[in-house]
């Protein structure tokens, strides 16, 4: 059936090779299993993290989240060559056989960047409103990518006002990254420290986490995770816990949020990170320790900084926490060599957000961890974290305005670190419904709209459109139910 769905696929060996491929979902051969839901993405974000999901997709099993359908045209159906890069955002439950999780529920979680309905096997988790996907596809992934949470939004994505959509869009961009920044400040470098790599990471003492006599240097300080870290460092720590000062190294040092009047702080461009003026500013704070939080600084910036610090402040110890990396789709041999060298630095330890969260769950319980994180997010949001940022809202999987275009921008290194990019995947569904209706009229199945409401059926002069409310209901609970779950043309009831 020529339904206008498309799927964005990426070559696993060369992430700069990507395509948007037409997709005709097959009709179901069986009903939805007990304990499963069918859902689809509504609004997703695209950040440099998505490049990491592709570059490290085989190692960390991110390619397994949503494999390319076998019915795609060759060679894009070859799962050895091509994959779907997952993305964070909001999705909609289309149909459910999970007690307590009804069709029409909106979920926050990990989705494919398209309108393709997906099957999730969800079990309840803690706290209430949280669910865990236990399908085989998730078994090899870190626990961070198993969890879905009932979303408390002002309405369906398709029904939001412009102002509401903008607020939800910024949440979609920052929520996946905020926890990392917050936990790095509050726990990795807090008074009750957690190892940056979580429980399996080894020993991480209070001395390792102590900032009371330290200067913190944030590399790639304009990034989203860095913004969450800096905001927490400035606004959520007790003054006695430090740091002595914060140096933000960034390509855009003029952003006012990079500094604060709460403690000594300075923002500099990469070229000035090792200048005499910067070194004197650090030396004037008389630090015993330097803690570098590397959010993916420019190539060579960490090496240059380390050389300068060792020569200019030889008595200060240095600790490096690695978070993220440079956003490139393909790495040259020199870049790979630099990464290998960096990984071997004795001063460096890698951050793993999923493992840190697991350790916090073990220590405090999931309910307490999420309640604290929610309160921290409200404070971050209330301080106007999106001030000065530009938001792009794209549509669909394909084309320049879709996920395909955004991926190309990332691959070419043209994505601005302070831009937020989201894509609506709920658009174009009415056209799909119309195509379905026409296809059904040519076959033995009744019209989708005729099945929905007899008096809103096809007339001799064409299709008499149903009300806006009924269209919305069909989009949420019937349209893809027809695609995937019902056989013999039996249409389920819409959500009223």
């Amino acid at each position: 059936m020529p339904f206008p769905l498309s799927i964005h696929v990426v070559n696993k060996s060369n992430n700069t090779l990507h395509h948007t491929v037409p997709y005709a979902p097959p009709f179901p051969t069986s009903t939805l299993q007990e304990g499963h839901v069918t859902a689809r993405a509504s609004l997703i974000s695209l950040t440099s993290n998505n490049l990491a999901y592709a570059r490290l997709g085989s190692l960390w099993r991110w390619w397994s989240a949503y494999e390319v359908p076998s019915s795609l045209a060759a060679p894009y159906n070859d799962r050895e060559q091509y994959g779907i890069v997952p993305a964070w955002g909001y999705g909609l439950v289309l149909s459910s056989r999970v007690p307590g999780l009804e069709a029409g529920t909106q979920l926050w979680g990990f989705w494919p960047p398209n309108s393709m309905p997906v099957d999730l096997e969800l079990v309840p988790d803690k706290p209430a409103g949280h669910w865990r996907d236990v399908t085989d596809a998730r078994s090899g992934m870190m626990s961070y990518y198993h969890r879905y949470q009932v979303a408390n939004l002002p309405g369906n994505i398709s029904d939001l006002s412009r102002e509401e959509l903008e607020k939800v869009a910024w949440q979609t961009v920052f929520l996946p990254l905020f926890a990392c920044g917050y936990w790095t400040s509050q726990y990795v470098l807090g008074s009750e420290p957690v190892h940056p790599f979580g429980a399996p990471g080894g020993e991480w003492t209070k001395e390792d986490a102590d900032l009371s006599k330290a200067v913190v240097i944030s590399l790639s300080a304009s990034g989203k995770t860095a913004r969450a870290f800096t905001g927490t460092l400035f606004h959520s720590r007790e003054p006695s816990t430090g740091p002595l000062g914060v140096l933000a190294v960034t390509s855009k040092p003029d952003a006012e949020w990079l500094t604060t009047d709460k403690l000594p702080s300075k923002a500099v461009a990469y070229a000035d990170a090792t200048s005499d003026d910067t070194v004197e500013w650090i030396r004037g704070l008389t630090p015993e320790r330097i803690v570098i939080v590397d959010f993916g600084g420019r190539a060579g910036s960490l090496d240059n900084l380390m050389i300068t610090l060792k020569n200019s402040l030889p008595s200060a110890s240095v600790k490096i926490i690695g978070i993220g990396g440079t956003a490139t789709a393909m790495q040259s041999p020199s870049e790979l060599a630099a990464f290998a060298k960096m990984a071997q630095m004795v001063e460096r330890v890698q951050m793993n957000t999923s493992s840190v969260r697991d350790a916090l769950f073990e220590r405090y319980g999931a309910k307490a961890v999420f309640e604290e994180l929610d309160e921290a997010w409200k404070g971050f949001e209330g301080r106007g974290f999106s001030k000065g940022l530009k938001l792009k809202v794209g549509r669909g999987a394909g084309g320049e305005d879709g996920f395909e275009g955004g991926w190309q921008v990332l691959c070419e290194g043209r994505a601005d670190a302070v831009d937020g990019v989201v894509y609506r995947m709920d658009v174009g569904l009415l056209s799909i419904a119309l195509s379905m209706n026409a296809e059904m009229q040519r076959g033995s199945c009744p019209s989708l709209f005729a099945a929905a409401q007899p008096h809103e059926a096809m007339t001799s002069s064409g299709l008499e459109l149903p009300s806006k409310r009924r269209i919305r209901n069909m989009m949420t609970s019937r349209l893809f139910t027809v695609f995937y779950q019902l056989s013999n043309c039996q249409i389920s009831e819409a959500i009223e």
Side-chain angles (χ1 to χ4, degrees):
M1 291 187 183
F3 299 140
L5 284 181
S6 58
I7 293 178
H8 180 256
V9 299
V10 174
N11 187 286
K12 294 182 178 181
S13 299
N14 183 348
N15 301 155
T16 65
L17 301 178
H18 61 109
H19 309 269
T20 299
V21 186
Y23 176 54
F27 275 109
T29 57
S30 61
T31 58
L32 187 65
Q33 297 181 50
E34 187 71 30
H36 289 239
V37 302
T38 301
R40 65 158 174 82
S42 300
L43 185 72
I44 60 167
S45 62
L46 177 62
T47 71
S48 59
N49 274 23
N50 296 93
L51 280 177
Y53 300 152
R55 285 195 335 217
L56 303 174
S58 297
L59 176 65
W60 293 109
R61 299 291 303 276
W62 286 312
W63 289 125
S64 300
Y66 301 105
E67 294 185 319
V68 292
S70 59
S71 60
L72 286 186
Y76 309 116
N77 61 348
D78 184 347
R79 294 175 180 176
E80 295 297 319
Q81 293 188 59
Y82 288 94
I84 296 172
V85 178
W88 288 99
Y90 293 100
L92 186 70
V93 176
L94 303 168
S95 54
S96 172
R97 295 194 67 191
V98 176
L101 192 58
E102 298 180 351
T105 302
Q106 296 184 97
L107 296 175
W108 168 263
F110 214 38
W111 304 98
N114 52 56
S115 299
M116 177 179 71
V118 295
D119 183 285
L120 305 175
E121 183 180 1
L122 299 180
V123 297
D125 210 329
K126 295 180 180 178
H130 288 241
W131 302 82
R132 184 163 42 90
D133 184 6
V134 295
T135 52
D136 291 341
R138 303 297 172 100
S139 60
M141 283 188 283
M142 291 176 282
S143 63
Y144 204 78
Y145 306 94
H146 296 203
R147 184 173 292 262
Y148 290 80
Q149 182 177 351
V150 174
N152 183 22
L153 299 180
N156 284 348
I157 297 298
S158 57
D159 296 333
L160 298 181
S161 67
R162 180 169 182 163
E163 292 75 18
E164 290 171 334
L165 179 61
E166 181 176 351
K167 181 177 180 179
V168 172
W170 281 121
Q171 292 172 357
T172 307
V173 171
F174 270 88
L175 278 176
L177 309 169
F178 174 76
C180 178
Y182 177 76
W183 288 330
T184 301
S185 174
Q186 289 299 92
Y187 289 101
V188 173
L189 298 172
S191 58
E192 299 178 0
V194 172
H195 192 284
F197 210 82
E203 186 179 22
W204 185 257
T205 67
K206 289 190 175 183
E207 288 71 27
D208 290 318
D210 183 22
L211 295 182
S212 61
K213 298 178 180 179
V215 167
V216 171
I217 300 177
S218 174
L219 279 182
S220 190
S222 294
K224 300 172 187 68
T225 309
R227 195 178 184 110
F229 170 76
T230 303
T232 305
L233 208 61
F234 287 169
H235 300 284
S236 300
R237 291 176 64 98
E238 293 295 329
S240 60
T241 65
L244 297 174
V246 176
L247 175 68
V249 182
T250 171
S251 59
K252 298 189 175 182
D254 296 331
E256 62 181 54
W257 61 267
L258 290 168
T259 57
T260 181
D261 57 5
K262 294 179 180 292
L263 73 160
S265 52
K266 182 180 180 71
V268 298
Y270 281 97
D272 298 322
T274 56
S275 68
D276 291 343
D277 180 64
T278 300
V279 171
E280 284 305 312
W281 182 83
I282 297 174
R283 185 183 285 119
L285 298 173
T286 62
E288 295 181 8
R289 302 180 67 220
I290 306 292
V291 176
I292 301 172
V293 186
D294 183 6
F295 294 96
R298 286 182 178 176
S301 60
L302 180 59
D303 281 343
N304 294 337
L305 187 59
M306 289 292 290
I307 293 171
T308 299
L309 292 174
K310 288 180 178 180
N311 290 337
S312 302
L313 292 97
S315 62
S317 65
V318 178
K319 180 68 71 174
I320 305 166
I321 299 174
I323 301 176
T326 305
T328 57
M330 295 297 294
Q331 291 179 310
S332 66
S334 61
E335 287 174 324
L336 291 173
F339 182 80
K341 177 184 176 182
M342 184 173 59
Q344 295 173 1
M345 297 175 70
V346 296
E347 303 92 345
R348 188 179 189 277
V349 61
Q350 182 65 36
M351 175 75 173
N352 184 306
T353 307
S354 183
S355 295
V356 167
R357 190 180 73 173
D358 291 343
L360 293 173
F361 283 176
E362 183 70 22
R363 182 186 293 181
Y364 302 111
K367 184 175 185 293
V369 171
F370 279 111
E371 286 178 348
E372 178 185 325
L373 190 64
D374 287 345
E375 286 302 310
W377 169 260
K378 291 175 184 176
F380 184 64
E381 195 173 42
R383 291 190 294 272
F385 70 88
S386 60
K387 183 178 180 180
L389 300 183
K390 299 176 182 178
L391 178 67
K392 170 183 169 62
V393 180
R395 293 169 176 261
E400 185 177 347
D401 193 44
F403 194 87
E404 177 185 17
W407 187 261
Q408 185 64 31
V409 168
L410 276 182
C411 290
E412 294 175 357
R414 295 188 287 116
D416 195 316
V418 298
D419 280 342
V421 183
V422 298
Y423 295 93
R424 289 186 60 175
M425 295 297 166
D426 63 333
V427 296
L429 295 184
L430 179 57
S431 64
I432 296 174
L434 295 175
S435 293
M436 287 178 63
N437 189 80
E439 191 74 23
M440 289 177 177
Q441 286 290 300
R442 287 193 291 269
S444 59
C445 294
S447 162
L448 173 68
F449 291 134
Q453 185 81 345
H455 70 266
E456 293 173 345
M458 291 286 288
T459 68
S460 58
S461 59
L463 178 65
E464 183 182 333
L465 289 175
S467 67
K468 182 182 292 187
R469 179 165 179 254
R470 183 162 295 278
I471 290 175
R472 182 178 68 246
N473 291 340
M474 286 187 294
M475 296 309 157
T476 59
S477 70
R478 179 179 290 122
L479 178 56
F480 284 109
T481 301
V482 172
F483 272 162
Y484 276 87
Q485 294 185 230
L486 301 179
S487 57
N488 300 321
C489 303
Q490 294 175 350
I491 309 291
S492 64
E493 288 299 316
I495 302 170
E496 296 297 337

